[in-house]
């Protein structure tokens, strides 16, 4: 199935998504990766507000290349999400419902996804030039000193994504390869 | 004796950094296009077609193929009859700084592994120099992304583990990596040497085009067997399932100690980049 989603998203909208579905996401997406997550945690520890509202928001794990004159953004594909596993459950509990990245997530993150009706979406890893085409505008929100790791506010239109972990805890990285291998077995049974 | 100036080296490295990040080497691009045609699983075939479209988009728009423009791994085959005027290492780093700045490439290097702090110009490069006969200098820039680098592994196996032990370790590494290193992947496998040399062999193996098998038929066959076994795992493009888990696997070897069988696997992604020039 293919769905169109706009941010801020609601849990009802996310509840129909299933691992393997395609999503075209439009609206505001915040970029944050390793160092920005670390700083967000420090702010939360001090009881301070985060640089953007978490409720209904989408966080994209990306460190784009610098834009050339006339470009909105450089290449902007996802980074490996597993490095954010340590931080994500805390953000999910605070109402942050959409994570965008690539690669496997921990059991703790999956449990937090199910508990909070969140989703984990994959952008196309290593396809930085294609991913940047859906970005209409980009502006640094904070922590400019982090360079490519600064938090940016992106406005995106029809950003092409794949549901990897849905709100029931189904994981495409498990079900996808299993389904492919099963198709080979049934091919062998019928073919030979 | 040939004289090569530091300025020539800086300029060459700067150009190679930009070229390597925007254009895949011909063997990599051919393998990607072929996989797009041969991947039988629908979501895998769709994924391959997006990845191939990305190669075109990067070329058309002068964008890096991937936003992780990598640690600049620079390899120099330095002819022993060459005299370099100036500081070689400083010249290479000046080239990386210029290439990554003028080419709008991402600056991903931190100055200290624990205290972090971005250096701001992607220096320093990871430099390897080989002294070779002759009076020319061949420079190769192979930018290495860390999504895949982080999935690399090394083991000191026992001699009795043999070829089966090596195969088991390589397959285990690919399974553990799963979707993380942006499959379809490329693997550089080092076998032999010492703890440090085997890691170097694995990195060196990634410099060989993936359509050129190891010249030793024994290892050429092992490369093919391992590749087939990896592509039977079902991980597929991006880990969404499918046949195309790896595009290539290169093995480099070295003599080793009677007591040892070191093996290292350097994992690379579908954006395995390298560009060379000769001065």
């Amino acid at each position: 199935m293919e769905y169109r989603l706009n941010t801020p998203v609601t849990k009802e909208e996310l509840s129909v998504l299933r691992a393997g579905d395609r999503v075209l996401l439009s609206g505001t997406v915040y970029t944050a990766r390793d160092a920005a997550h670390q700083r967000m945690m420090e702010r939360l520890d001090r009881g301070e507000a985060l640089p953007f509202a978490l409720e209904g928001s989408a966080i994209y794990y990306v460190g784009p290349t610098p834009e050339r004159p006339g470009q909105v953004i450089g290449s902007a594909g996802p980074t490996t999400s597993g490095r954010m596993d340590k931080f994500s459950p805390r953000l999910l509990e605070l109402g942050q419902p959409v994570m965008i990245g690539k690669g496997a997530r921990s059991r703790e993150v999956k449990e937090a996804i199910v508990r909070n009706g969140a989703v984990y979406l994959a952008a196309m890893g290593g396809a930085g030039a294609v991913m940047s085409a859906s970005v209409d505008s980009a502006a640094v929100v904070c922590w400019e000193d982090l360079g490519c790791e600064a938090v940016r506010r992106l406005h995106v239109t029809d950003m092409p994504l794949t549901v990897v972990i849905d709100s029931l805890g189904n994981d495409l990285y498990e079900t996808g390869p299993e389904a492919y291998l099963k198709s080979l077995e049934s091919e062998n049974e019928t073919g030979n | 004796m040939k004289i090569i100036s530091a300025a020539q080296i800086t300029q060459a490295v700067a150009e190679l950094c930009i070229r390597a990040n925007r254009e895949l080497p011909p063997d990599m691009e051919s393998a990607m296009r072929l996989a797009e045609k041969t991947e039988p699983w629908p979501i895998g075939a769709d994924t391959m077609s997006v990845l191939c479209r990305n190669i075109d988009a990067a070329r058309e728009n002068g964008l890096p193929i991937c936003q992780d423009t990598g640690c600049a791994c620079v390899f120099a085959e330095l002819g022993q009859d060459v005299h370099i005027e100036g500081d070689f290492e400083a010249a290479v780093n000046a080239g990386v700084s210029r290439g990554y700045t003028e080419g709008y490439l991402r600056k991903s290097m931190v100055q200290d592994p624990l205290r972090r702090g971005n250096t701001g110009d992607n220096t320093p490069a990871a430099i390897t120099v080989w002294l070779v006969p002759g009076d020319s200098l061949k420079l190769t820039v192979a930018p290495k992304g860390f999504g895949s680098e982080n999935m690399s592994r090394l083991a000191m196996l026992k001699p009795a583990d043999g070829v089966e032990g090596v195969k088991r370790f390589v397959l285990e590494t690919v399974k553990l990596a799963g979707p993380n290193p942006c499959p379809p992947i490329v693997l550089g496998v080092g076998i032999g040497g010492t703890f440090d040399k085997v890691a170097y062999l694995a990195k060196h193996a990634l410099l060989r085009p993936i359509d050129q098998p190891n010249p030793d038929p024994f290892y050429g066959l092992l490369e093919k067997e391992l590749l087939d076994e990896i592509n039977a795992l079902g991980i597929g493009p991006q880990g969404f399932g499918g046949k195309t888990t790896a595009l290539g696997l290169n093995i480099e070897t070295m003599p080793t100690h009677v007591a040892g069988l070191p093996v290292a696997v350097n994992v690379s992604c579908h954006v395995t980049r390298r560009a060379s020039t000769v001065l």
Side-chain angles (χ1 to χ4, degrees), chain B residues 59-212:
Chain B
R59 187 175 284 137
E60 283 159 21
N61 304 321
L63 279 168
I65 303 164
C66 176
Q67 77 292 333
D68 186 352
T69 52
C71 168
C73 299
V74 179
F75 299 85
E77 290 169 53
L78 176 62
Q80 57 198 19
D81 297 327
V82 171
H83 172 69
I84 292 171
E85 261 181 1
D87 183 326
F88 172 75
E89 200 172 309
V92 169
N93 282 323
V96 169
S97 176
R98 187 188 296 173
Y100 275 72
T101 305
E102 292 177 0
Y104 296 92
L105 305 177
R106 199 179 80 183
K107 289 77 178 174
S108 308
M109 296 298 287
V110 294
Q111 62 196 350
D112 184 279
L114 287 176
R115 289 169 291 183
R116 316 302 286 179
N118 199 301
T119 61
D121 64 356
N122 216 50
T123 61
I127 303 173
T128 305
V129 180
W130 296 294
L131 206 55
V132 297
D135 67 349
S136 61
L137 169 61
K138 182 179 179 187
L139 290 165
T140 300
V141 175
K144 187 65 172 72
F146 260 55
S148 56
E149 191 78 354
N150 282 338
M151 297 295 110
S152 304
R153 290 167 84 226
L154 190 155
M156 304 303 282
L157 300 180
K158 298 179 181 74
D161 292 330
V163 70
E164 287 311 314
V166 169
K167 283 172 112 171
R168 208 163 34 238
F169 182 72
V170 173
L171 286 164
E172 189 181 86
T173 301
V174 174
K175 281 190 237 173
L176 283 171
N180 291 8
C182 290
I185 55 177
V186 174
L187 296 169
V189 178
I191 310 173
T194 50
F195 181 77
D196 55 327
K197 292 292 183 192
V198 76
Y200 152 84
L201 284 173
K203 176 71 77 199
H204 185 199
L206 290 174
L207 296 185
R208 172 154 43 94
I210 55 173
D211 53 8
Q212 286 176 21

Side-chain angles (χ1 to χ4, degrees), chain B residues 226-259:
Chain B
L226 270 170
L227 189 61
D228 288 346
E229 287 178 39
I230 289 164
N231 285 329
L233 292 174
I235 296 168
Q238 299 285 306
F240 296 158
K243 182 182 174 212
T244 317
T245 299
L247 298 169
L249 182 148
N250 291 342
I251 296 174
E252 292 292 332
T253 66
M254 211 181 240
T256 190
H257 189 276
V258 287

Side-chain angles (χ1 to χ4, degrees), chain B residues 259-278:
Chain B
L261 176 52
V263 55
V265 183
N266 197 186
V267 182
S268 191
C269 58
H270 64 84
V271 192
T272 294
R273 296 155 284 195
R274 52 186 129 75
S276 300
T277 195
V278 178

